[in-house]
Amino acid sequence: MKALFTTLTLIILLAGVTNSYSQSSDQINREENPEQTVLDNSPLAQLKKQIYEAKKNGNDVLHKQLTQQFANQYPEKIRNSVESFNRLTVAHQDGMKTAPFMQGDWGAGDINVFPRSIFQGSGVNQRVIDLEVDSSGVKYLGFITGDRDSLKIFRSTNEGVNWTQIQALVAGAGTMIQAFDFSVTDSANTFRLGFAVTVSPDANENDADLYWVSMRGDGTGARIAVIKPKDAGNGWKNPSIISDGWNYSAGATYWYVSYQRVNSGTGAGNQAAFSWTTDWGFTWEDDTTRNTFNDYYLSVNYNAYVSSDSLYVLLANDLTVTNANLRLMRIALGNLGTSTAWSQYNIGTANPEDQGELAVNRQNNQMAVIYRETFGVGAGNIRYQYSDHAMGINWTQGPDIAAFDNNEERPRIDCQQRQGAWRISFVSQSATYDTVVYMSSTNITSAFSGKTIVNPGNDCGLTPMPDVAGFRTGAASFGGGVAFSRFSSNNLWYDGSNVTPTDITNNSSLAGDYTLSQNYPNPFNPSTKINFSIPVKGFVSLKVFDALGREVATLVNNELNSGSYTYDFNAGKLGSGIYFYKLTSGNFNEVKKMMLIK
């Protein structure tokens, strides 16, 4: 019955959007084959490149000076955020916390995080649940309540066993929260959460303003400001947000927001918009990822390559109502905000694809896109593509994740920045029930495995996308968690499954001293083993540097128990030459040299 209801709903939605979203043959051709734009070499663009180079080189003083110089020379490019609280307010001030509604029993069943109805989403706006994890393993779970009057944020510090509400954002009288996304970043010895939230004056999700919210990892220090108010006849929709704080200091951290501009009356998209802040939301700059087309399901991410950083926006575009296609847009960070256009990669297949999400492995710069491939109304498979090529230019189709007779949909993907393990979730439908499925992989070029049913009684909500995230459960041991809504109650639930990466091995729990051994074999191509030991439990860093002292790989960057370990290092992405690997733990530091010969 549920599958029939979903099919009928989809047919009605398609019938309703045909007139609004249809595009001419000329538009279809221009969308698929965009004109190439010459690089901007104006004084503005040159200054932008200098700002980026200072950021990339870690020169925070020069970066700050050049950023201020840009603001002085081009004030029209900088937009001050407006601290407006008439439509969105903070419910809990600093120090005020709400006890969890219910505490579950880990291992004996799923955990009911919120025993009331949550928003079930509408149309293509199905991302109303967001699960994130900081680099210490603390989990954060955001969701919109059923009446859309608040966005609640919960936190768990014990692997999802107990959840505590740390903050709530409340819509003003008569207004509604329509969509949101958030991310977590390291900054100044604390964790900060950054949100992009759309809020409308009524139930019309196409008539919303775009808000920025930031807070500390415990919910304190919350600040709300308007990123961009709606303009005449248009609103903002489906935001996606990411920061580059993992790679940069607090003073050089940027936050990036991708979002859709839509006609307030029809909901038809007319721009994939982009904004970013260099000062934690006090000022904003704008760019345009694409104009004209109905681009939706936006997913933003960045990749910090050794030579340069790039920004990516994955989006779906319905060339015709029945033929949605994935597009990946890319721009070098140094070109952001200039007249240089975003590059476009048509990474889809011959069949319609949508519901895409982009993830990046910050350990080796691999990228992966998960999406739904459809074969007519009510029939979809889950597939993925990956890129291990510099700048994400070339993409390879991975093995099918789910290609069954029934319908699979609502895929999500995550690659936790400390470990490099990939995790996915999706929904598998049948005539009588919907199942949330979790899988994982430590090698994106092979396949996903460990298929696990997440939800009890196969009871999954009809429209909200479950979300998945990875986390650390102990020394060299990691897990994945999934948050989802149940159909029978529309409540919010959480469950978890573990996966252990294979690149680090704990050989013994006994170690008499700190040691770092010479890698073997040496020289090597492309893999080698690095043995080390630590006598006491503590934070361990094992990094690789090139001959110029630039960090090229982070192998270990987390707390380990005492013992001896072996790390299997694969340098397949590096060129031939001399490299140095450095072990740091407590007061111990040691560096050794190795040679890669290809």
Side-chain angles (χ1 to χ4, degrees):
M1 182 64 185
K2 289 172 62 180
L4 176 61
F5 175 81
T6 303
T7 301
L8 290 175
T9 302
L10 181 57
I11 293 173
I12 293 171
L13 287 173
L14 290 176
V17 300
T18 300
N19 293 332
S20 299
Y21 291 15
S22 61
Q23 299 175 28
S24 67
S25 58
D26 178 64
Q27 286 178 311
I28 291 173
N29 181 65
R30 286 190 293 109
E31 187 282 326
E32 190 171 4
N33 304 286
E35 295 180 0
Q36 298 300 315
T37 303
V38 178
L39 289 175
D40 186 353
N41 199 33
S42 65
L44 180 150
Q46 291 296 317
L47 181 53
K48 276 292 185 183
K49 289 181 174 63
Q50 293 176 37
I51 294 172
Y52 163 70
E53 289 170 0
K55 172 185 172 79
K56 185 68 174 177
N57 294 331
N59 192 335
D60 288 1
V61 174
L62 179 60
H63 174 261
K64 184 177 181 180
Q65 292 174 348
L66 292 173
T67 301
Q68 185 59 53
Q69 178 183 336
F70 182 86
N72 294 337
Q73 290 184 217
Y74 304 98
E76 71 279 5
K77 296 290 185 179
I78 307 295
R79 188 179 67 259
N80 292 320
S81 63
V82 180
E83 294 197 20
S84 175
F85 300 93
N86 60 331
R87 288 190 179 173
L88 195 63
T89 59
V90 176
H92 305 298
Q93 300 300 325
D94 291 2
M96 297 178 61
K97 302 293 178 290
T98 302
F101 292 100
M102 184 178 295
Q103 297 179 349
D105 180 16
W106 180 260
D110 293 349
I111 296 170
N112 189 195
V113 180
F114 188 70
R116 306 175 193 171
S117 294
I118 70 168
F119 180 40
Q120 297 299 294
S122 59
V124 296
N125 177 17
Q126 297 176 318
R127 292 176 180 170
V128 296
I129 300 170
D130 195 355
L131 176 65
E132 301 289 341
V133 181
D134 66 30
S135 56
S136 71
V138 174
K139 300 176 183 61
Y140 305 87
L141 182 54
F143 59 94
I144 301 173
T145 55
D147 50 12
R148 286 185 274 179
D149 68 347
S150 61
L151 167 59
K152 295 184 180 293
I153 303 98
F154 280 65
R155 182 177 72 164
S156 174
T157 59
N158 59 354
E159 299 183 15
V161 178
N162 304 114
W163 292 85
T164 301
Q165 182 178 322
I166 60 171
Q167 193 52 268
L169 308 174
V170 180
T175 65
M176 290 186 175
I177 298 174
Q178 299 292 352
F180 80 101
D181 189 29
F182 83 98
S183 187
V184 185
T185 192
D186 298 86
S187 172
N189 300 317
T190 187
F191 296 102
R192 293 201 69 90
L193 282 60
F195 293 74
V197 187
T198 55
V199 184
S200 65
D202 50 34
N204 182 7
E205 66 176 350
N206 303 315
D207 194 33
D209 299 314
L210 180 63
Y211 282 78
W212 156 263
V213 183
S214 65
M215 65 186 71
R216 300 186 188 95
D218 61 359
T220 62
R223 176 178 175 269
I224 301 175
V226 177
I227 298 177
K228 210 169 189 181
K230 60 184 179 181
D231 54 31
N234 296 289
W236 311 113
K237 191 174 180 179
N238 298 332
S240 178
I241 189 171
I242 194 73
S243 90
D244 56 15
W246 174 253
N247 294 91
Y248 295 101
S249 66
T253 292
Y254 292 4
W255 287 84
Y256 310 98
V257 183
S258 179
Y259 50 100
Q260 183 185 9
R261 186 177 72 180
V262 298
N263 183 287
S264 298
T266 66
N270 50 58
Q271 184 185 79
F274 195 93
S275 298
W276 75 100
T277 176
T278 64
D279 56 7
W280 294 84
F282 287 94
T283 61
W284 292 85
E285 299 178 59
D286 299 323
D287 204 334
T288 300
T289 306
R290 288 211 317 181
N291 259 323
T292 306
F293 307 108
N294 180 47
D295 297 325
Y296 57 101
Y297 278 122
L298 277 60
S299 176
V300 65
N301 219 310
Y302 81 97
N303 210 335
Y305 300 101
V306 173
S307 58
S308 65
D309 291 9
S310 291
L311 292 164
Y312 298 87
V313 173
L314 178 71
L315 51 86
N317 174 272
D318 50 356
L319 296 173
T320 64
V321 175
T322 58
N323 187 24
N325 289 273
L326 287 181
R327 304 293 185 231
L328 183 67
M329 312 300 295
R330 172 194 167 270
I331 193 169
L333 181 55
N335 291 327
L336 190 63
T338 72
S339 297
T340 300
W342 292 60
S343 300
Q344 176 175 313
Y345 304 103
N346 301 338
I347 64 172
T349 65
N351 295 308
E353 320 95 6
D354 63 1
Q355 298 184 4
E357 186 169 33
L358 172 67
V360 176
N361 184 340
R362 311 225 183 273
Q363 303 296 323
N364 59 14
N365 299 117
Q366 288 180 331
M367 296 190 294
V369 169
I370 193 171
Y371 58 93
R372 178 186 66 170
E373 182 182 40
T374 57
F375 302 90
V377 176
N381 292 337
I382 306 301
R383 307 190 72 181
Y384 80 98
Q385 295 189 37
Y386 65 89
S387 174
D388 53 7
H389 186 278
M391 307 303 173
I393 296 174
N394 297 326
W395 288 79
T396 302
Q397 183 70 55
D400 285 348
I401 294 173
F404 308 117
D405 292 337
N406 59 309
N407 180 48
E408 285 84 41
E409 61 180 19
R410 289 175 270 167
R412 303 297 297 268
I413 187 169
D414 177 75
C415 189
Q416 213 281 334
Q417 52 203 15
R418 270 197 185 277
Q419 55 190 269
W422 303 84
R423 292 169 179 82
I424 62 172
S425 65
F426 61 91
V427 175
S428 180
Q429 293 184 323
S430 73
T432 56
Y433 58 81
D434 294 345
T435 302
V436 181
V437 179
Y438 164 85
M439 299 176 70
S440 62
S441 174
T442 57
N443 183 0
I444 196 66
T445 64
S446 57
F448 284 87
S449 60
K451 188 177 297 180
T452 303
I453 294 177
V454 175
N455 54 322
N458 301 315
D459 179 14
C460 173
L462 282 176
T463 53
M465 281 187 169
D467 199 13
V468 63
F471 55 90
R472 189 181 71 207
T473 61
S477 180
F478 305 94
V482 179
F484 61 96
S485 170
R486 293 181 64 175
F487 174 71
S488 58
S489 61
N490 292 336
N491 291 179
L492 184 64
W493 295 76
Y494 172 85
D495 196 6
S497 303
N498 289 346
V499 59
T500 301
T502 59
D503 50 9
I504 185 170
T505 303
N506 187 345
N507 302 313
S508 171
S509 61
L510 300 177
D513 203 353
Y514 290 101
T515 63
L516 177 63
S517 302
Q518 185 64 49
N519 67 299
Y520 67 97
N522 188 43
F524 66 98
N525 177 30
S527 298
T528 187
K529 296 181 181 295
I530 300 174
N531 289 333
F532 64 92
S533 62
I534 55 173
V536 295
K537 179 179 180 180
F539 191 86
V540 177
S541 169
L542 180 61
K543 297 183 177 182
V544 179
F545 302 86
D546 64 14
L548 297 178
R550 297 175 298 190
E551 181 182 326
V552 296
T554 298
L555 309 185
V556 180
N557 197 42
N558 56 271
E559 187 176 72
L560 296 179
N561 289 326
S562 62
S564 60
Y565 294 84
T566 298
Y567 192 97
D568 293 310
F569 175 48
N570 188 318
K573 301 294 185 294
L574 301 178
S576 297
I578 295 175
Y579 293 88
F580 299 88
Y581 57 100
K582 179 181 180 181
L583 178 69
T584 302
S585 184
N587 295 323
F588 177 80
N589 289 279
E590 188 166 347
V591 178
K592 289 188 178 295
K593 182 171 66 174
M594 58 185 174
M595 181 176 293
L596 172 62
I597 300 178
K598 291 188 173 181

